[in-house]
């Protein structure tokens, strides 16, 4: 089963994709995580991607598409995957369709986490992550048990460079211009499901699981809405 998460920066894609992938035993593919890791390790990909990421722009398709296609061909993605942060525009969605078609598969469901813009801005401003295991936290909605320390591995928490206010503004603009059209792309294909992303994390996770289970049971051929 191939699940795509859609939603603006701050909608909760990373958190929900990781919960869902674990529950279903599927690979979790986050292009943002792969790119940030490449930047930290100063690989060729990281060097090329860094400037775009710091400005809140999309990294060119030529770099990102190959990375995802390679990742999908690894063994842990053979049964399916949960994609988070990819596709980000219509050409990427087409490239994903082609790659899956080549293996007799398709996007089974695109889960759209719906969150109003003022909430997104507040969320991005309070966001922290573990500098070691990358577990996500939020000052208000998902604080660590001890301030500044990861619950899972004890690592120190840091803020993402691209969560600075100027970059957040640009990332949201890029989302509305380039990524939001994917809602129609997947709606037209009958695989879009909307979930109210403003609810607390466990409730959103429940709703997400419900729409995915419905798609799995073969009811994914129409637009569904939860919350
Ligand atoms: P994210 O963690 O998904 O918010 O991604 C952080 C940044 O990585 C984005 O602002 C982009 O610069 C870059 N990025 C992540 N995924 C993609 C993608 N599918 N296409 C282009 N750029 C991406």
């Amino acid at each position: 089963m191939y699940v795509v998460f859609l939603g603006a920066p701050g909608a909760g894609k990373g958190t929900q994709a990781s919960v869902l992938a674990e529950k279903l035993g599927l690979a979790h593919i986050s292009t943002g995580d792969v790119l940030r890791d490449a930047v930290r390790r100063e690989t060729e990909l990281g060097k090329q991607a860094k400037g775009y990421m710091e400005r809140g722009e999309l990294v060119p398709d030529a770099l990102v598409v190959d990375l995802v296609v390679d990742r999908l061909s690894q063994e842990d993605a053979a049964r399916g995957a949960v994609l988070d942060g990819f596709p980000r525009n219509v050409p990427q969605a087409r490239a994903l369709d082609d790659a899956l078609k080549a293996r007799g598969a398709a996007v089974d469901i695109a889960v759209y986490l719906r969150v109003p813009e003022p909430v997104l801005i507040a969320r991005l401003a309070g966001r922290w992550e573990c500098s070691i295991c990358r577990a996500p936290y939020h000052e208000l909605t998902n604080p660590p048990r001890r301030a500044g320390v990861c619950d899972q591995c004890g690592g120190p928490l840091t803020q993402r460079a691209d969560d600075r206010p100027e970059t957040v503004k640009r990332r949201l603009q890029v989302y509305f211009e380039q990524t939001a059209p994917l809602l129609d792309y997947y709606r037209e294909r009958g695989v879009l499901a909307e979930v109210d992303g403003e609810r607390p994390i466990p409730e959103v996770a429940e709703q997400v699981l419900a729409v995915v289970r419905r798609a799995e049971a073969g009811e994914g051929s129409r637009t569904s809405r939860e919350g």
Side-chain angles (χ1 to χ4, degrees):
M1 155 152 251
Y2 292 90
V3 182
V4 161
F5 269 92
L6 295 175
K13 298 186 299 293
T15 302
Q16 294 298 333
S18 130
V19 170
L20 183 74
E22 177 135 340
K23 272 189 196 148
L24 300 184
L26 298 176
H28 174 194
I29 303 178
S30 158
T31 42
D33 283 350
V34 174
L35 292 168
R36 277 185 291 278
D37 185 55
V39 170
R40 272 191 297 273
R41 291 192 292 118
E42 299 181 358
T43 64
E44 198 44 48
L45 171 68
K47 282 182 201 153
Q48 292 186 52
K50 191 169 189 250
Y52 296 99
M53 294 173 77
E54 283 174 352
R55 292 191 299 276
E57 306 281 344
L58 293 187
V59 172
D61 294 346
L63 295 177
V64 181
V65 168
D66 283 355
L67 176 162
V68 174
V69 172
D70 274 2
R71 183 67 189 81
L72 283 170
S73 67
Q74 286 170 24
E75 207 179 310
D76 67 328
R79 280 199 319 111
V82 178
L83 289 139
D84 136 33
F86 185 94
R88 267 310 219 276
N89 57 27
V90 171
Q92 291 184 10
R94 293 213 176 98
L96 175 63
D97 283 348
D98 290 347
L100 293 178
K101 203 169 168 190
R103 57 173 63 205
V107 171
D108 296 284
I109 183 161
V111 181
Y112 168 44
L113 299 178
R114 188 171 13 97
V115 176
E117 197 174 338
V119 178
L120 295 170
I121 294 170
R123 280 189 182 178
L124 292 168
R127 192 153 89 159
W128 292 79
E129 67 174 11
C130 173
S131 56
I132 301 194
C133 75
R134 303 285 146 210
Y137 294 92
H138 193 279
E139 284 169 13
L140 305 174
T141 55
N142 183 29
R145 284 193 290 272
R146 257 181 70 203
V149 180
C150 179
D151 291 349
Q152 296 183 20
C153 76
L157 304 187
T158 55
Q159 274 202 300
R160 274 171 52 168
D162 62 353
D163 281 346
R164 288 190 305 260
E166 327 77 73
T167 317
V168 162
K169 226 170 115 191
R170 181 65 191 140
R171 286 167 67 206
L172 287 172
Q173 200 178 14
V174 167
Y175 168 77
F176 288 112
E177 285 169 13
Q178 302 191 43
T179 311
L182 291 180
L183 297 177
D184 279 341
Y185 182 92
Y186 288 112
R187 192 178 285 120
E188 280 161 16
R189 283 156 181 75
V191 293
L192 186 75
E194 279 189 38
V195 168
D196 177 1
E198 244 191 300
R199 314 290 309 155
I201 292 170
E203 279 181 42
V204 177
E206 245 177 67
Q207 300 290 343
V208 168
L209 191 63
V211 296
V212 169
R213 291 278 189 231
R214 237 175 276 158
E216 221 173 13
E219 293 168 36
S221 57
R222 59 183 166 74
T223 299
S224 56
R225 195 176 173 125
E226 289 287 330

